[in-house]
Amino acid sequence: MSKRESAKYKIDRRLGENIWGRPKSPVNKREYGPGQHGQRRKGKLSDFGLQLRAKQKLKGHYGDVSEKQFRKVYEEANRRKGDTSENLIGLLESRLDAIVYRAKFVPTIFAARQFVNHGHVNVNGKRTNIGSYRCKPGDVIEVREKSKQLVMVLESVALAERDVPDYIEADHNKMTATFARVPGLSDVPFAVQMEPNLVVEFYSR
């Protein structure tokens, strides 16, 4: 099972934004940071501060990916032709755990990583238990037969708080999802504004 450095709601509070759009997020009630100094007026962030915050927000959204792994994704995005910030989003959305989450098989990105790690998912008919596995357009992701009746899966599919984006073709009767295409920034249903261009600036300093 993957190691999680911090609880998801702590990430929300630290950043002061409900980055997954969850109704239970503490930010909905307390928009200030945690701790005894959380309610102090915040000074204006420097350029570096803005870039760091953008990186923390994007990294946090995908389940607080490790810094080493996140930098590797950036380096891959930078090597590819085209807009590095768009490439970065495309690579992050191609992760198996992200697709499982977007397809609504699980309620959170953290649950998606655990779900994949515990062997509940097949990719093109083969059991795959690596959350960072990179899917290609046309790949079929399926909840394994013995896992289709798990309470978490059934409840998540019925959740009305988010929709499946159009770059994933999900069939909740068969519990399958096809990764139709690699999305761009404007295609991804982020609950808050993400700024991958600032992330690129952060790493290219």
Side-chain angles (χ1 to χ4, degrees):
M1 191 178 136
S2 66
K3 181 183 176 189
R4 185 156 103 214
E5 297 295 342
S6 51
K8 58 182 177 289
Y9 292 140
K10 279 187 181 174
I11 299 169
D12 269 2
R13 291 235 29 223
R14 193 172 68 226
L15 295 171
E17 291 186 71
N18 184 355
I19 61 175
W20 299 283
R22 300 277 291 161
K24 288 183 183 174
S25 173
V27 178
N28 297 340
K29 293 178 183 173
R30 300 187 296 272
E31 290 187 344
Y32 49 86
Q36 67 185 64
H37 304 300
Q39 294 186 62
R40 280 188 178 174
R41 267 175 52 187
K42 289 177 184 155
K44 195 177 175 203
L45 284 174
S46 63
D47 287 348
F48 172 79
L50 290 168
Q51 292 162 4
L52 178 63
R53 187 182 174 80
K55 184 199 70 146
Q56 287 173 326
K57 195 160 58 167
L58 192 62
K59 192 157 77 85
H61 181 85
Y62 289 96
D64 224 11
V65 178
S66 74
E67 179 60 31
K68 186 177 176 184
Q69 212 173 23
F70 198 73
R71 181 179 267 279
K72 280 173 81 173
V73 175
Y74 159 74
E75 287 167 355
E76 170 72 16
N78 197 32
R79 278 197 300 271
R80 294 189 172 196
K81 289 181 181 175
D83 187 318
T84 304
S85 59
E86 289 284 341
N87 292 343
L88 180 63
I89 296 297
L91 287 169
L92 288 167
E93 284 294 313
S94 300
R95 287 172 59 100
L96 178 57
D97 54 6
I99 294 170
V100 167
Y101 170 61
R102 298 286 182 220
K104 283 181 69 175
F105 294 147
V106 289
T108 69
I109 189 72
F110 297 100
R113 192 177 304 169
Q114 192 174 35
F115 193 68
V116 172
N117 286 348
H118 288 184
H120 296 297
V121 176
N122 289 341
V123 178
N124 299 329
K126 289 184 180 176
R127 186 176 180 178
T128 307
N129 62 358
I130 300 165
S132 59
Y133 176 86
R134 190 174 301 155
C135 296
K136 301 180 196 71
D139 280 356
V140 177
I141 293 89
E142 179 183 18
V143 177
R144 298 187 78 206
E145 196 61 45
K146 65 177 185 179
S147 309
K148 288 180 179 178
Q149 297 306 312
L150 287 173
V151 173
M152 177 178 72
V153 175
L154 297 174
E155 286 180 349
S156 182
V157 164
L159 277 177
E161 67 186 55
R162 59 192 175 92
D163 297 319
V164 178
D166 64 4
Y167 51 89
I168 293 170
E169 295 163 3
D171 183 336
H172 288 148
N173 293 320
K174 295 179 181 174
M175 293 294 181
T176 62
T178 303
F179 187 45
R181 62 184 173 82
V182 177
L185 175 60
S186 59
D187 301 315
V188 183
F190 290 120
V192 296
Q193 185 182 358
M194 292 293 178
E195 298 160 305
N197 56 310
L198 293 180
V199 180
V200 172
E201 287 174 18
F202 176 87
Y203 282 120
S204 57
R205 280 176 299 118

